[in-house]
Amino acid sequence: MRVQGVSFIILIVLVFCILGGVVFSIARKISVEMSESAVSNLAESLDLIQGTVEVILSKEAEFQKLMAEEIADMDDPERSIQSYSREGTIIMISMIPAGKKEGFSNTGGIFTAEELDFSSGRTVDGLPVSGSYLNHLGTWAYTMKCPVVRDGREIATLYVEYIYDSFEETLPNRFYNEQATIYMMDAHSERFVLKPKGAGERDAGHLDLDDFYWANRILEPEIQEQVADGIQAGQDLMFYHDIRDREALVYMWAVNDGAVYLAGYVPIDAIQQESKAVNQNIFAVVIVMLVAFMSCCGLYFFNARQQEKIRAEQETIRAEQEKEREIHNAQLVEALKAAQIASKSKTTFLSNMSHDIRTPMNAILGFTTLLAKDADNPVKVREYTKKITSSGQHLLSLINDVLDVSKIESGKVVLTMAEFNLNDMVSSVDAIIRPAAKAKGQDLQVSVTGIKHERFIGDETRLDQILINLLSNAVKYTQEGGHLYFRMIGLDQRTSQYEHIQIEVEDDGYGMAPEYLEVLFDAFTRAENSTTNKVQGTGLGMAITKNIVELMGGTIDVLSEVGRGSLFTVDLELRIPDSEVDEHFWKKNGVSRLLVVDDDADICKNIQMLMEDTGVSVDTSLSGEGAVRIVQDACGHGDYYDVILLDWQMPGMDGLEAAKQIRGIIPDHIPIFFLTAYDWDEIEDEALDIGIDGFLAKPFFVSAFKEKLVEIQTEHIGGLPDLDEAEAHALEGRHFLVAEDNEINAEILEELLDVEGATCEIAENGQAAVERFSKAEQGEFDAIFMDVQMPVMNGYEATKKIRAMDREDADSIPIIAMTANAFAEDVKDAIDAGMTAHIAKPVDMGLLKKTVNLYLLKKGT
């Protein structure tokens, strides 16, 4: 019986193997045939889209010819054209009479065709088509021109501007279930002129074909050369390539004889989706058949096993018992493994923190011992205290990182939303990072492009933290003499209430291995190799950064290669405040014409965009020689520029020589500013000698420009007081009430104030501080320094009771929180309780002086 059963089983296995081989062969053949069919369908779809686009172009050309015929019969074509209002795909209609270089348009201004490029020779139904360009609305457009013929004689040329956005409706909304990308590219400039929504995932950073290559790692020279030749010849192209670790079919489909291309890619698995579905159905049918076959076999064995029922039941009982023991043993093994992993994680954490905390603590204790030994040597005392302070700051940063991660993981972090200035934020981050980069001989380049607003609503402190984490890592993990790039790029807005911003931090440093990129944003991870293992830190920075970015509703991505550097990309949306623009500032300050001189055309265009709504006319020049000619021509007509912005380093005639020649042409009262991304200390004296009025740091901000104009006018009136000098003596002669329950902290603060020439009175808790202030004479204390966590009464309650007192100075006396509670929500709680300002422990005397000086000046004392 058993021999027969074994033979039967062997036969079943053999049948299953044969059936499986047949099914696999059929499924593979179907998959290949359907893939080939899918590729053919893709080509047909692209041909259909191509045909649709060409029909639209043909209809536009036909409409323009009819328009030209109607205009030829009109007595007053100018009036008819100027009465045309923009609608649909047509943005602007213009006409230049025969024999003239200037004409008119429906926008009301003078029209010239000098900036339109018809050199490609492309036509639609015989009408020449210009190259693509950004029109005055910031939208990609093209122009077709058509002769206006009356009685067999050409009397004018009709120019009609169309926008590429009109083609968005012709592109499919769900191209391969939104897994494919499809762009429209101008073949002459290779710029992407249309990136429609709803056609699959796409990187908004794809601006042109080179960027498309870089973002999708299509870096093979032979492929790029093949594509370039195909575009030059106006051919349709299709090739396979890995796109973001997915095999894909990349296509370049010519439209209108290659004037425009449909570009993008389709993942192979999306193409094969239908064949997979067919294969799944085949396998389902086979499985059903196998189940039926197995059921029959089961009935056969069931009948045979009836004869040995007692033996089978006993064997079953023993098998179940053995299985239960195996399950129980497996559960014990899993529990042991989980306990070992938890123990290892705990040990790793403690080891990391023990090492990182003991390192600065060892320095602090060691130099404290040396300080006691060499107390009579002022030079060594200063050296030791400087190193103790440095180690203490490092220890504080470690503690802050650990607390930050703890609060983030517990969900206690909240964003403090307030209005802030983008210029101030970029400048402050630059001021923090640039000295560190300069110390390593690194070149830090900062650029802001395409951002239409300067004021936003958000958590500026957390944004600073993101930028400083990314940039400080770039400085740390880039060799001396390396290059760093900090870019803020304005993307297409999804809504009018939010500015869509992409932040890029790039370096050409050590880079990261692929296996490390997988754990980059995990806590307590750091790239370890012979080059980077001396960099200090807990490995928490990127984990904190990612959590903050996601808390703000954004995303962060990274591309990196060992030995070539890293690129971090943060995508955020920041709310635009509902504030009115100071429209009268420029008139009040006599600024109506501005000349911008820079060899970078993108910088000139960005400044023009930012100044669009100010009412100031902006002219540009890409060279020093050209700027001198423009100024000479303007002065010759008595039409002077009110301000001149001049780049320092330009090819040919540099900024210094150009400024020298321009200053010899224009009146002395017209200001000239150097606009530069470099440290201007080395040319400051020479620049001032030739009449430069000041320096503006790149990137350009309207607010910084306005501040510079106000600063120049203030200097002409008589200058500002020296606030640094006031801050240096802000504490001198002052008397403070200090609420502090820790005797050592109180003693340290008392000594620090004594060094600055100030005195204080210590109250051991909040209740004592309230009672002492209630008994004090009017003006006896200049301010109150208030700890938060104290026995009897905490700092918040004490502040509320002081503010509620029936005294004239109860509302006005500055109450400054001086506490170890240093998070953003702690600052908010302090302000909500009625405190004037917040200073985190350990106390920074420079910050304390600035704060006291600020609020005592406001108070008028």
Side-chain angles (χ1 to χ4, degrees):
M1 181 66 185
R2 291 188 179 184
V3 175
Q4 292 178 350
V6 172
S7 300
F8 189 71
I9 292 174
I10 293 174
L11 179 62
I12 292 174
V13 172
L14 181 61
V15 171
F16 283 174
C17 290
I18 295 173
L19 182 60
V22 172
V23 171
F24 178 78
S25 175
I26 294 173
R28 183 176 180 83
K29 182 179 179 181
I30 292 175
S31 178
V32 171
E33 291 177 352
M34 295 194 71
S35 294
E36 292 175 354
S37 175
V39 172
S40 176
N41 290 339
L42 172 61
E44 292 177 1
S45 299
L46 293 172
D47 286 337
L48 180 61
I49 298 172
Q50 168 199 351
T52 304
V53 173
E54 291 178 347
V55 167
I56 293 175
L57 290 171
S58 178
K59 292 296 182 182
E60 290 174 347
E62 182 180 346
F63 175 76
Q64 189 166 339
K65 289 179 182 178
L66 292 174
M67 187 184 300
E69 292 177 2
E70 292 179 359
I71 291 174
D73 297 333
M74 294 180 181
D75 295 330
D76 188 3
E78 179 175 356
R79 181 177 180 183
S80 175
I81 288 177
Q82 290 180 343
S83 66
Y84 179 82
S85 59
R86 179 172 68 87
E87 62 175 308
T89 63
I90 298 178
I91 299 300
M92 184 171 68
I93 300 177
S94 310
M95 189 171 80
I96 299 179
K100 294 186 179 181
K101 294 184 178 181
E102 296 182 349
F104 48 85
S105 67
N106 63 322
T107 61
I110 297 174
F111 172 77
T112 65
E114 294 178 355
E115 296 183 359
L116 298 176
D117 182 10
F118 291 93
S119 62
S120 66
R122 306 292 186 182
T123 63
V124 176
D125 287 353
L127 298 187
V129 182
S130 74
S132 303
Y133 57 89
L134 280 173
N135 64 11
H136 66 286
L137 299 176
T139 302
W140 283 100
Y142 60 94
T143 296
M144 287 195 287
K145 63 179 181 179
C146 175
V148 180
V149 180
R150 178 187 295 168
D151 299 330
R153 182 174 59 88
E154 183 177 334
I155 64 171
T157 302
L158 179 65
Y159 296 83
V160 179
E161 179 181 275
Y162 306 89
I163 58 174
Y164 280 100
D165 288 348
S166 62
F167 294 111
E168 184 170 358
E169 297 299 326
T170 67
L171 302 184
N173 290 329
R174 295 179 59 83
F175 203 35
Y176 280 92
N177 199 26
E178 297 186 354
Q179 295 188 58
T181 63
I182 182 168
Y183 299 84
M184 187 171 285
M185 182 186 77
D186 177 63
H188 183 66
S189 64
E190 296 186 351
R191 293 295 297 264
F192 286 0
V193 296
L194 180 62
K195 296 174 281 187
K197 301 176 181 177
E201 60 177 28
R202 61 173 51 79
D203 186 346
H206 291 176
L207 305 176
D208 54 29
L209 186 56
D210 286 338
D211 186 40
F212 180 81
Y213 286 153
W214 172 252
N216 296 300
R217 290 295 183 265
I218 306 175
L219 305 178
E220 295 84 352
E222 58 274 12
I223 294 180
Q224 295 186 9
E225 183 178 353
Q226 177 188 355
V227 173
D229 293 341
I231 293 176
Q232 182 70 26
Q235 299 174 344
D236 297 334
L237 301 169
M238 193 177 292
F239 59 90
Y240 291 93
H241 201 278
D242 284 346
I243 304 294
R244 298 177 184 176
D245 299 328
R246 296 175 70 187
E247 187 180 4
L249 189 61
V250 185
Y251 61 85
M252 299 281 176
W253 222 252
V255 177
N256 192 28
D257 296 329
V260 178
Y261 267 83
L262 299 173
Y265 62 86
V266 183
I268 295 300
D269 52 10
I271 294 178
Q272 296 177 342
Q273 188 171 1
E274 293 181 358
S275 63
K276 289 181 180 178
V278 171
N279 288 337
Q280 288 173 354
N281 290 334
I282 291 174
F283 284 123
V285 171
V286 171
I287 289 172
V288 171
M289 293 174 61
L290 292 177
V291 169
F293 182 72
M294 289 296 295
S295 299
C296 294
C297 293
L299 291 174
Y300 170 80
F301 280 107
F302 175 78
N303 183 58
R305 290 165 71 96
Q306 292 297 319
Q307 302 175 10
E308 302 178 0
K309 184 175 181 180
I310 298 175
R311 182 184 59 82
E313 287 178 354
Q314 292 176 346
E315 289 180 354
T316 300
I317 293 173
R318 286 196 298 269
E320 289 178 353
Q321 291 175 343
E322 183 65 26
K323 187 177 180 179
E324 288 179 358
R325 282 196 296 270
E326 290 177 356
I327 293 174
H328 182 65
N329 290 336
Q331 290 174 342
L332 290 177
V333 170
E334 289 296 326
L336 177 60
K337 188 181 298 184
Q340 289 173 339
I341 292 173
S343 177
K344 184 177 179 181
S345 298
K346 177 182 176 182
T347 303
T348 301
F349 171 77
L350 293 176
S351 176
N352 284 341
M353 292 312 301
S354 175
H355 173 270
D356 289 332
I357 290 177
R358 284 175 184 273
T359 299
M361 278 300 298
N362 180 63
I364 291 171
L365 295 176
F367 283 115
T368 303
T369 303
L370 293 174
L371 188 65
K373 179 180 178 182
D374 296 320
D376 297 330
N377 188 335
V379 175
K380 289 191 175 182
V381 167
R382 283 192 292 270
E383 180 185 352
Y384 296 157
T385 53
K386 181 178 179 181
K387 292 179 179 178
I388 289 172
T389 301
S390 175
S391 298
Q393 292 293 339
H394 177 54
L395 179 60
L396 182 61
S397 69
L398 296 178
I399 294 171
N400 285 340
D401 278 351
V402 173
L403 294 178
D404 245 343
V405 165
S406 175
K407 293 177 73 67
I408 288 171
E409 291 181 347
S410 64
K412 294 181 180 179
V413 171
V414 294
L415 298 177
T416 303
M417 309 302 286
E419 189 171 328
F420 67 92
N421 187 289
L422 187 64
N423 174 33
D424 294 340
M425 185 183 74
V426 173
S427 298
S428 65
V429 172
D430 182 83
I432 292 171
I433 299 299
R434 191 169 293 278
K438 191 173 182 182
K440 295 183 68 175
Q442 296 168 342
D443 176 29
L444 172 60
Q445 296 186 24
V446 182
S447 65
V448 178
T449 57
I451 298 180
K452 300 178 182 178
H453 303 85
E454 290 190 28
R455 301 200 65 81
F456 299 101
I457 295 176
D459 192 329
E460 184 179 6
T461 301
R462 292 298 184 182
L463 280 171
D464 281 343
Q465 188 175 1
I466 292 170
L467 297 178
I468 291 172
N469 276 349
L470 294 176
L471 286 165
S472 62
N473 276 351
V475 172
K476 289 178 185 178
Y477 294 101
T478 299
Q479 65 278 4
E480 292 189 2
H483 299 80
L484 313 175
Y485 304 90
F486 170 31
R487 311 183 191 98
M488 299 192 75
I489 304 168
L491 305 179
D492 293 340
Q493 291 179 238
R494 297 187 176 102
T495 67
S496 59
Q497 290 82 24
Y498 288 85
E499 182 93 43
H500 191 187
I501 296 177
Q502 181 173 289
I503 301 169
E504 294 182 351
V505 175
E506 185 176 5
D507 64 70
D508 58 358
Y510 308 127
M512 293 172 279
E515 60 269 17
Y516 177 65
L517 289 176
E518 297 178 2
V519 297
L520 171 64
F521 296 108
D522 295 342
F524 305 108
T525 58
R526 255 187 25 215
E528 297 290 345
N529 58 51
S530 60
T531 306
T532 65
N533 58 10
K534 292 184 179 180
V535 179
Q536 292 181 330
T538 57
L540 295 173
M542 296 313 302
I544 294 171
T545 299
K546 183 176 187 294
N547 279 282
I548 294 174
V549 169
E550 292 178 347
L551 190 63
M552 291 180 173
T555 59
I556 181 170
D557 295 298
V558 60
L559 293 174
S560 185
E561 187 174 341
V562 174
R564 300 190 63 178
S566 304
L567 169 62
F568 285 88
T569 303
V570 177
D571 196 288
L572 288 174
E573 288 192 342
L574 296 177
R575 184 172 179 80
I576 304 168
D578 300 326
S579 57
E580 295 185 359
V581 178
D582 184 4
E583 298 178 353
H584 304 293
F585 173 84
W586 306 100
K587 289 185 178 180
K588 288 190 297 182
N589 289 274
V591 179
S592 61
R593 294 192 71 202
L594 171 65
L595 175 62
V596 178
V597 186
D598 198 301
D599 60 303
D600 190 333
D602 289 336
I603 291 177
C604 295
K605 290 179 181 178
N606 191 58
I607 294 176
Q608 285 180 318
M609 182 196 72
L610 293 174
M611 296 293 291
E612 269 184 359
D613 298 328
T614 62
V616 178
S617 173
V618 180
D619 294 332
T620 63
S621 175
L622 300 179
S623 67
E625 296 89 345
V628 173
R629 289 194 297 269
I630 291 173
V631 172
Q632 286 176 334
D633 184 63
C635 293
H637 293 83
D639 191 11
Y640 296 100
Y641 288 99
D642 300 307
V643 183
I644 298 175
L645 298 182
L646 191 62
D647 188 19
W648 163 24
Q649 293 195 347
M650 294 185 292
M653 181 184 292
D654 65 8
L656 285 170
E657 181 60 29
K660 187 176 181 180
Q661 293 192 25
I662 291 174
R663 181 52 78 193
I665 301 172
I666 64 175
D668 293 338
H669 71 273
I670 296 178
I672 301 177
F673 298 119
F674 267 161
L675 184 64
T676 176
Y678 299 91
D679 189 347
W680 55 73
D681 290 344
E682 59 185 87
I683 64 158
E684 185 171 6
D685 294 337
E686 185 178 355
L688 295 177
D689 289 341
I690 64 174
I692 296 299
D693 295 274
F695 298 86
L696 274 173
K698 291 182 181 179
F700 175 86
F701 287 99
V702 176
S703 59
F705 184 32
K706 291 168 69 176
E707 289 174 4
K708 183 60 66 174
L709 290 174
V710 173
E711 178 184 324
I712 292 298
Q713 291 187 356
T714 306
E715 287 178 358
H716 290 165
I717 294 172
L720 292 171
D722 188 354
L723 293 180
D724 291 339
E725 182 68 19
E727 288 174 0
H729 301 283
L731 303 179
E732 192 172 315
R734 302 289 186 180
H735 185 56
F736 303 101
L737 175 60
V738 178
E740 175 61 72
D741 64 305
N742 186 289
E743 294 182 5
I744 294 178
N745 288 345
E747 183 179 350
I748 291 173
L749 182 58
E750 191 171 9
E751 290 295 330
L752 290 174
L753 291 174
D754 183 61
V755 171
E756 299 295 334
T759 58
C760 68
E761 186 173 331
I762 307 296
E764 62 272 15
N765 56 57
Q767 181 65 45
V770 172
E771 293 174 357
R772 180 63 186 88
F773 181 74
S774 65
K775 298 175 183 178
E777 297 292 332
Q778 188 87 8
E780 180 177 348
F781 297 110
D782 292 293
I784 301 174
F785 298 149
M786 184 73 71
D787 191 13
V788 172
Q789 291 187 351
M790 295 182 292
V792 184
M793 180 183 292
N794 64 38
Y796 298 143
E797 291 298 324
T799 300
K800 291 176 182 178
K801 286 189 176 294
I802 290 174
R803 294 300 190 206
M805 287 184 183
D806 188 15
R807 291 171 54 116
E808 292 184 6
D809 58 347
D811 289 333
S812 60
I813 187 169
I815 303 178
I816 300 172
M818 195 172 289
T819 172
N821 297 351
F823 292 103
E825 53 267 34
D826 298 317
V827 178
K828 182 178 182 299
D829 291 341
I831 300 304
D832 290 344
M835 296 185 186
T836 312
H838 179 284
I839 296 178
K841 292 179 181 177
V843 176
D844 182 336
M845 291 304 293
L847 178 60
L848 179 62
K849 289 179 184 179
K850 287 180 180 288
T851 305
V852 170
N853 181 67
L854 173 64
Y855 289 105
L856 290 183
L857 278 178
K858 285 184 178 181
K859 186 182 175 186
T861 60

